[in-house]
């Protein structure tokens, strides 16, 4: 390893790790168990995990096919479509929340139809939390799967076609097995991103305890009144995210999903 790389590498690591360690320095360890088991923390944690899991499943059901289409299709405007799919990665989350609100809100084009036809109102509900999390997290899965398919190439799929297999059989027997290792990695990143979503959620779903106040929103709310409680919840969120990445991501990268 070239020696000149060590200094910037260590600085980069310090920039990431030291702020997190600063949270430990701020909290009183004696109060930590009580703060982490408070009703507000447990309610927010349960809601966060539940909605993040649902958002991850939605991302899989919708983003998986989208990734295959982007990787294997050729049609006019493909680059524009890919750019739109990746837009949530670069947009401020609050912009995504506003977009969802003005589309699915009571006066939005789709929101008005849902209200008039089905009596459904999405903003400031748990469903709104799931939609916001899916909006910001699904591109992580799409990027992972599309990149894996492009790197693998289409040679095996062409061979399958020459042997008489139809598109659906080729997808099930050839394409899908190639997607399993990157699928695990993409799902981990998607879940972690959904779990930490804040901006789009508070804009589109609000912060109603037990209904839309996920752990990131609870941290923001508690920071106004009890800094120690906010720090304790922050450490909890850091621990969960780190656990998910350390336990699941290496297995996915190595193909042991």
């Amino acid at each position: 390893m070239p020696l000149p790389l060590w200094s910037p590498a260590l600085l980069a690591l310090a920039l990431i790790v030291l702020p997190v360690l600063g949270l430990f320095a701020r909290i009183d360890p004696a109060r930590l168990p009580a703060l982490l088991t408070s009703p507000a923390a447990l309610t927010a944690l349960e809601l966060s995990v539940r909605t993040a899991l649902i958002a991850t499943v939605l991302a899989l059901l919708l983003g998986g096919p989208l990734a295959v289409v982007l990787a294997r299709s050729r049609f006019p405007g493909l680059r524009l479509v890919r750019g739109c799919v990746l837009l949530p990665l670069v947009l401020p989350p609050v912009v995504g929340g506003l977009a969802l609100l003005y589309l699915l809100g009571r006066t939005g084009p789709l929101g008005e139809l849902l209200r008039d036809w089905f009596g459904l109102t999405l903003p400031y509900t748990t469903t709104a939390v799931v939609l916001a999390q899916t909006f910001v997290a699904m591109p992580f899965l799409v990027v992972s799967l599309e990149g894996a398919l492009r790197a693998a190439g289409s040679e095996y799929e062409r061979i399958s076609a020459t042997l008489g297999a139809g598109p659906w059989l080729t997808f099930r027997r050839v394409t899908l097995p190639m997607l399993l290792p990157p699928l695990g990695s993409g799902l981990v990143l998607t879940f972690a991103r959904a779990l930490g979503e804040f901006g789009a959620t508070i804009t589109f779903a609000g912060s109603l305890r037990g209904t839309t106040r996920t752990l990131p929103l609870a941290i923001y709310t508690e920071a106004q009144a009890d800094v120690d409680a906010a720090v304790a919840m922050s450490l909890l969120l850091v621990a969960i995210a780190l656990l998910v990445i350390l336990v699941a991501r290496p297995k996915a990268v190595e193909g042991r999903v």
Side-chain angles (χ1 to χ4, degrees):
M1 182 65 64
L3 189 61
L5 295 180
W6 278 98
S7 293
L10 291 174
L11 286 175
L13 181 62
L15 184 61
I16 295 172
V17 174
L18 290 181
V20 177
L21 294 179
L23 292 173
F24 288 95
R26 175 62 179 81
I27 193 69
D28 179 7
R31 293 192 61 198
L32 194 57
L35 293 172
L36 292 179
T37 56
S38 67
L42 293 178
T43 300
L45 175 62
E46 186 274 333
L47 180 64
S48 291
V49 173
R50 175 160 51 91
T51 54
L53 285 173
I54 297 174
T56 302
V57 172
L58 277 178
L60 173 62
L61 295 177
L62 302 177
L66 178 58
V68 176
V69 169
L70 292 177
R72 292 294 185 252
S73 298
R74 297 290 182 272
F75 56 86
L78 177 61
R79 293 185 61 184
L80 178 60
V81 172
R82 183 178 292 111
C84 292
V85 171
L86 301 181
L87 204 55
L89 294 178
V90 297
L91 279 177
V94 67
V95 176
L98 287 175
L100 290 170
L101 182 63
Y102 291 130
L103 174 69
L104 298 170
R106 293 186 178 184
T107 59
L110 290 183
E112 190 172 4
L113 291 177
L114 289 174
R115 184 192 61 189
D116 294 342
W117 292 2
F118 304 103
L120 297 177
T121 302
L122 294 180
Y124 311 111
T125 64
T126 304
T127 302
V129 176
V130 173
L131 290 176
Q133 291 174 339
T134 305
F135 176 83
V136 301
M138 185 165 58
F140 286 89
L141 183 65
V142 176
V143 168
S144 298
L145 296 185
E146 185 191 2
L149 282 174
R150 288 184 174 277
S154 57
E155 179 182 356
Y156 293 111
E157 292 162 325
R158 289 197 299 267
I159 293 174
S160 175
T162 60
L163 294 176
W168 182 242
L169 181 60
T170 299
F171 173 76
R172 288 190 293 111
R173 296 292 181 87
V174 180
T175 307
L176 193 57
M178 288 192 299
L179 286 177
L180 291 182
L183 178 62
S185 177
L187 288 175
V188 169
L189 292 175
T190 301
F191 175 78
R193 180 63 186 90
L195 191 67
E197 161 52 30
F198 174 81
T201 303
I202 197 171
T203 307
F204 182 46
S207 181
L208 306 174
R209 182 173 176 179
T211 304
T212 65
R213 185 174 297 171
T214 57
L215 199 54
L217 271 64
I219 293 171
Y220 177 77
T221 302
E222 291 294 334
Q224 317 302 316
D226 188 346
V227 176
D228 285 347
V231 172
M233 292 182 190
S234 299
L235 290 174
L236 178 61
L237 190 57
V238 168
I240 293 172
L242 191 61
L243 180 64
V244 167
I245 294 172
L246 290 179
V247 172
R249 183 165 170 76
K251 293 182 180 180
V253 172
E254 296 170 11
R256 301 194 306 271
V257 181

